[in-house]
Short mmCIF file of all heavy atoms in Angstrom, two decimals:
data_model
loop_
_atom_site.label_atom_id
_atom_site.label_comp_id
_atom_site.label_asym_id
_atom_site.label_seq_id
_atom_site.Cartn_x
_atom_site.Cartn_y
_atom_site.Cartn_z
N VAL B 95 1.36 5.67 52.63
CA VAL B 95 2.09 6.39 53.69
C VAL B 95 2.14 5.38 54.88
O VAL B 95 1.13 5.07 55.49
CB VAL B 95 1.48 7.67 54.09
CG1 VAL B 95 2.22 8.30 55.24
CG2 VAL B 95 1.38 8.62 52.94
N GLY B 96 3.32 4.96 55.25
CA GLY B 96 3.48 4.03 56.41
C GLY B 96 3.05 4.75 57.71
O GLY B 96 3.29 5.93 57.86
N ASN B 97 2.39 3.96 58.54
CA ASN B 97 1.95 4.50 59.84
C ASN B 97 3.07 5.15 60.70
O ASN B 97 2.93 6.23 61.22
CB ASN B 97 1.32 3.35 60.63
CG ASN B 97 0.21 3.84 61.55
OD1 ASN B 97 -0.23 4.99 61.47
ND2 ASN B 97 -0.19 2.98 62.45
N MET B 98 4.20 4.46 60.62
CA MET B 98 5.36 4.93 61.40
C MET B 98 5.85 6.25 60.78
O MET B 98 6.17 7.21 61.52
CB MET B 98 6.44 3.82 61.24
CG MET B 98 7.49 3.92 62.19
SD MET B 98 7.00 3.00 63.69
CE MET B 98 8.38 2.01 63.86
N THR B 99 5.98 6.30 59.47
CA THR B 99 6.46 7.56 58.83
C THR B 99 5.52 8.67 59.13
O THR B 99 5.94 9.79 59.44
CB THR B 99 6.46 7.34 57.28
OG1 THR B 99 7.19 6.14 57.01
CG2 THR B 99 7.03 8.51 56.59
N PHE B 100 4.23 8.39 59.12
CA PHE B 100 3.18 9.35 59.43
C PHE B 100 3.36 9.91 60.83
O PHE B 100 3.38 11.12 60.99
CB PHE B 100 1.85 8.63 59.20
CG PHE B 100 0.66 9.36 59.82
CD1 PHE B 100 0.29 10.65 59.35
CD2 PHE B 100 -0.09 8.78 60.81
CE1 PHE B 100 -0.81 11.28 59.89
CE2 PHE B 100 -1.19 9.40 61.39
CZ PHE B 100 -1.53 10.66 60.91
N LEU B 101 3.48 9.02 61.73
CA LEU B 101 3.62 9.46 63.18
C LEU B 101 4.86 10.29 63.41
O LEU B 101 4.83 11.35 64.06
CB LEU B 101 3.66 8.25 64.08
CG LEU B 101 2.27 7.60 64.30
CD1 LEU B 101 2.39 6.19 64.88
CD2 LEU B 101 1.49 8.46 65.27
N ARG B 102 5.95 9.86 62.78
CA ARG B 102 7.18 10.55 62.95
C ARG B 102 7.13 11.94 62.29
O ARG B 102 7.63 12.90 62.85
CB ARG B 102 8.36 9.72 62.42
CG ARG B 102 9.65 10.24 62.85
CD ARG B 102 10.78 9.27 62.53
NE ARG B 102 12.00 10.06 62.50
CZ ARG B 102 12.99 9.82 61.68
NH1 ARG B 102 12.92 8.81 60.90
NH2 ARG B 102 14.03 10.61 61.66
N THR B 103 6.59 11.94 61.09
CA THR B 103 6.47 13.23 60.39
C THR B 103 5.60 14.23 61.23
O THR B 103 5.95 15.38 61.33
CB THR B 103 5.83 13.01 59.01
OG1 THR B 103 6.56 12.01 58.29
CG2 THR B 103 5.86 14.31 58.23
N ALA B 104 4.50 13.70 61.75
CA ALA B 104 3.62 14.56 62.53
C ALA B 104 4.29 15.05 63.75
O ALA B 104 4.30 16.28 64.02
CB ALA B 104 2.35 13.75 62.88
N LEU B 105 4.90 14.20 64.54
CA LEU B 105 5.59 14.62 65.76
C LEU B 105 6.69 15.59 65.45
O LEU B 105 6.79 16.68 66.07
CB LEU B 105 6.20 13.38 66.50
CG LEU B 105 6.90 13.72 67.79
CD1 LEU B 105 5.96 14.40 68.80
CD2 LEU B 105 7.54 12.50 68.39
N ASN B 106 7.52 15.32 64.47
CA ASN B 106 8.60 16.24 64.19
C ASN B 106 8.14 17.57 63.59
O ASN B 106 8.76 18.62 63.83
CB ASN B 106 9.69 15.54 63.31
CG ASN B 106 10.57 14.67 64.15
OD1 ASN B 106 10.72 14.85 65.37
ND2 ASN B 106 11.14 13.63 63.53
N SER B 107 7.07 17.50 62.84
CA SER B 107 6.48 18.75 62.29
C SER B 107 6.09 19.65 63.47
O SER B 107 6.30 20.86 63.49
CB SER B 107 5.31 18.50 61.43
OG SER B 107 5.65 17.77 60.28
N GLN B 108 5.40 19.07 64.43
CA GLN B 108 4.92 19.89 65.56
C GLN B 108 6.10 20.41 66.40
O GLN B 108 6.11 21.53 66.80
CB GLN B 108 3.98 18.99 66.47
CG GLN B 108 2.75 18.67 65.76
CD GLN B 108 1.62 18.28 66.77
OE1 GLN B 108 1.77 18.55 68.02
NE2 GLN B 108 0.53 17.74 66.32
N ARG B 109 7.08 19.51 66.58
CA ARG B 109 8.25 19.96 67.35
C ARG B 109 8.98 21.12 66.65
O ARG B 109 9.33 22.15 67.29
CB ARG B 109 9.21 18.82 67.61
CG ARG B 109 8.63 17.75 68.50
CD ARG B 109 9.56 16.56 68.66
NE ARG B 109 10.74 16.93 69.49
CZ ARG B 109 10.87 16.60 70.75
NH1 ARG B 109 10.00 15.89 71.34
NH2 ARG B 109 11.93 17.02 71.40
N LYS B 110 9.11 20.97 65.34
CA LYS B 110 9.76 22.02 64.56
C LYS B 110 8.93 23.31 64.70
O LYS B 110 9.54 24.42 64.92
CB LYS B 110 9.80 21.61 63.10
CG LYS B 110 11.04 22.05 62.38
CD LYS B 110 11.33 21.16 61.14
CE LYS B 110 11.09 21.98 59.92
NZ LYS B 110 11.15 21.11 58.71
N ALA B 111 7.67 23.22 64.55
CA ALA B 111 6.80 24.45 64.64
C ALA B 111 6.91 25.10 65.99
O ALA B 111 6.79 26.32 66.06
CB ALA B 111 5.38 24.02 64.34
N ARG B 112 7.17 24.34 66.99
CA ARG B 112 7.32 24.90 68.38
C ARG B 112 8.75 25.32 68.65
O ARG B 112 9.08 25.66 69.76
CB ARG B 112 6.82 23.90 69.35
CG ARG B 112 5.28 23.71 69.33
CD ARG B 112 4.77 22.95 70.57
NE ARG B 112 5.29 21.60 70.60
CZ ARG B 112 4.53 20.52 70.28
NH1 ARG B 112 3.26 20.71 69.92
NH2 ARG B 112 5.02 19.32 70.39
N GLY B 113 9.64 25.12 67.70
CA GLY B 113 11.01 25.52 67.91
C GLY B 113 11.78 24.47 68.75
O GLY B 113 12.85 24.77 69.28
N GLU B 114 11.29 23.23 68.77
CA GLU B 114 11.97 22.17 69.49
C GLU B 114 12.78 21.34 68.49
O GLU B 114 12.51 21.32 67.35
CB GLU B 114 10.97 21.27 70.26
CG GLU B 114 10.12 22.00 71.27
CD GLU B 114 8.84 21.24 71.67
OE1 GLU B 114 8.80 20.04 71.37
OE2 GLU B 114 7.99 21.88 72.25
N ASP B 115 13.79 20.60 69.06
CA ASP B 115 14.60 19.71 68.20
C ASP B 115 13.71 18.57 67.71
O ASP B 115 12.82 18.07 68.38
CB ASP B 115 15.78 19.13 69.00
CG ASP B 115 16.86 20.15 69.10
OD1 ASP B 115 16.83 21.12 68.36
OD2 ASP B 115 17.71 19.97 69.98
N GLU B 116 14.02 18.09 66.51
CA GLU B 116 13.32 16.90 65.97
C GLU B 116 13.85 15.69 66.72
O GLU B 116 15.00 15.66 67.15
CB GLU B 116 13.54 16.78 64.44
CG GLU B 116 12.86 17.95 63.70
CD GLU B 116 12.89 17.75 62.19
OE1 GLU B 116 12.96 16.61 61.73
OE2 GLU B 116 12.92 18.80 61.52
N LEU B 117 12.99 14.72 66.85
CA LEU B 117 13.41 13.47 67.51
C LEU B 117 14.19 12.59 66.55
O LEU B 117 13.78 12.43 65.39
CB LEU B 117 12.15 12.73 67.98
CG LEU B 117 12.16 12.10 69.39
CD1 LEU B 117 12.49 13.22 70.44
CD2 LEU B 117 10.84 11.43 69.70
N SER B 118 15.26 12.01 67.00
CA SER B 118 16.06 11.13 66.13
C SER B 118 15.22 9.83 65.86
O SER B 118 14.33 9.54 66.63
CB SER B 118 17.36 10.74 66.79
OG SER B 118 17.11 9.84 67.86
N ALA B 119 15.65 9.13 64.82
CA ALA B 119 14.96 7.90 64.46
C ALA B 119 14.97 6.93 65.68
O ALA B 119 13.96 6.27 65.93
CB ALA B 119 15.63 7.26 63.26
N ALA B 120 16.12 6.83 66.29
CA ALA B 120 16.23 5.85 67.43
C ALA B 120 15.36 6.28 68.61
O ALA B 120 14.61 5.40 69.14
CB ALA B 120 17.70 5.80 67.90
N ASP B 121 15.36 7.52 68.95
CA ASP B 121 14.51 7.97 70.10
C ASP B 121 13.06 7.84 69.75
O ASP B 121 12.24 7.44 70.60
CB ASP B 121 14.79 9.48 70.39
CG ASP B 121 16.15 9.69 71.07
OD1 ASP B 121 16.68 8.62 71.54
OD2 ASP B 121 16.62 10.80 71.10
N PHE B 122 12.75 8.06 68.47
CA PHE B 122 11.33 7.97 68.08
C PHE B 122 10.90 6.48 68.19
O PHE B 122 9.81 6.19 68.69
CB PHE B 122 11.12 8.46 66.65
CG PHE B 122 9.71 8.25 66.17
CD1 PHE B 122 8.68 9.09 66.62
CD2 PHE B 122 9.41 7.24 65.30
CE1 PHE B 122 7.36 8.88 66.22
CE2 PHE B 122 8.09 6.99 64.94
CZ PHE B 122 7.06 7.84 65.34
N LEU B 123 11.74 5.61 67.75
CA LEU B 123 11.44 4.16 67.78
C LEU B 123 11.19 3.73 69.22
O LEU B 123 10.23 2.92 69.49
CB LEU B 123 12.61 3.41 67.20
CG LEU B 123 12.24 2.05 66.58
CD1 LEU B 123 11.36 2.25 65.36
CD2 LEU B 123 13.51 1.39 66.06
N LYS B 124 11.99 4.20 70.10
CA LYS B 124 11.83 3.85 71.53
C LYS B 124 10.49 4.32 72.02
O LYS B 124 9.72 3.58 72.68
CB LYS B 124 13.01 4.50 72.32
CG LYS B 124 13.48 3.63 73.45
CD LYS B 124 14.72 4.25 74.10
CE LYS B 124 14.40 4.64 75.55
NZ LYS B 124 15.35 5.60 76.07
N LEU B 125 10.21 5.58 71.69
CA LEU B 125 8.93 6.19 72.18
C LEU B 125 7.74 5.42 71.65
O LEU B 125 6.81 5.04 72.36
CB LEU B 125 8.90 7.66 71.70
CG LEU B 125 7.59 8.36 71.97
CD1 LEU B 125 7.46 8.72 73.39
CD2 LEU B 125 7.56 9.73 71.14
N ILE B 126 7.79 5.12 70.38
CA ILE B 126 6.57 4.51 69.75
C ILE B 126 6.40 3.06 70.22
O ILE B 126 5.29 2.63 70.43
CB ILE B 126 6.62 4.61 68.20
CG1 ILE B 126 5.28 4.17 67.61
CG2 ILE B 126 7.69 3.73 67.58
CD1 ILE B 126 4.96 4.94 66.40
N ARG B 127 7.53 2.40 70.44
CA ARG B 127 7.40 0.98 70.88
C ARG B 127 6.70 0.94 72.26
O ARG B 127 5.83 0.17 72.49
CB ARG B 127 8.82 0.38 71.05
CG ARG B 127 9.34 -0.01 69.70
CD ARG B 127 10.21 -1.26 69.85
NE ARG B 127 10.72 -1.64 68.47
CZ ARG B 127 12.03 -1.48 68.15
NH1 ARG B 127 12.91 -0.98 69.06
NH2 ARG B 127 12.44 -1.77 66.96
N GLU B 128 7.08 1.87 73.13
CA GLU B 128 6.56 1.89 74.47
C GLU B 128 5.05 2.23 74.41
O GLU B 128 4.22 1.55 75.00
CB GLU B 128 7.36 2.96 75.26
CG GLU B 128 6.77 3.25 76.60
CD GLU B 128 7.30 4.67 77.08
OE1 GLU B 128 8.49 4.90 76.82
OE2 GLU B 128 6.46 5.37 77.62
N LYS B 129 4.66 3.27 73.61
CA LYS B 129 3.30 3.68 73.61
C LYS B 129 2.40 2.66 72.89
O LYS B 129 1.28 2.42 73.29
CB LYS B 129 3.16 5.02 72.84
CG LYS B 129 3.99 6.14 73.42
CD LYS B 129 3.38 6.76 74.61
CE LYS B 129 4.17 7.95 75.09
NZ LYS B 129 3.85 8.44 76.39
N ALA B 130 2.97 2.04 71.83
CA ALA B 130 2.19 1.08 71.07
C ALA B 130 1.91 -0.14 71.90
O ALA B 130 0.79 -0.72 71.84
CB ALA B 130 2.94 0.70 69.81
N LYS B 131 2.84 -0.53 72.72
CA LYS B 131 2.70 -1.72 73.48
C LYS B 131 1.50 -1.63 74.46
O LYS B 131 0.65 -2.53 74.53
CB LYS B 131 3.96 -1.95 74.31
CG LYS B 131 4.12 -3.35 74.83
CD LYS B 131 5.49 -3.58 75.43
CE LYS B 131 5.40 -4.81 76.36
NZ LYS B 131 6.35 -4.70 77.42
#
Side-chain angles (χ1 to χ4, degrees):
Chain B
V95 177
N97 209 11
M98 198 86 127
T99 308
F100 165 62
L101 284 163
R102 193 168 156 215
T103 307
L105 178 62
N106 280 335
S107 296
Q108 291 201 15
R109 292 178 70 105
K110 214 159 111 188
R112 290 193 292 257
E114 300 163 14
D115 282 343
E116 295 187 26
L117 223 57
S118 73
D121 287 345
F122 176 75
L123 208 62
K124 217 173 114 200
L125 174 72
I126 191 147
R127 282 216 180 105
E128 173 202 318
K129 304 283 186 192
K131 198 170 158 210

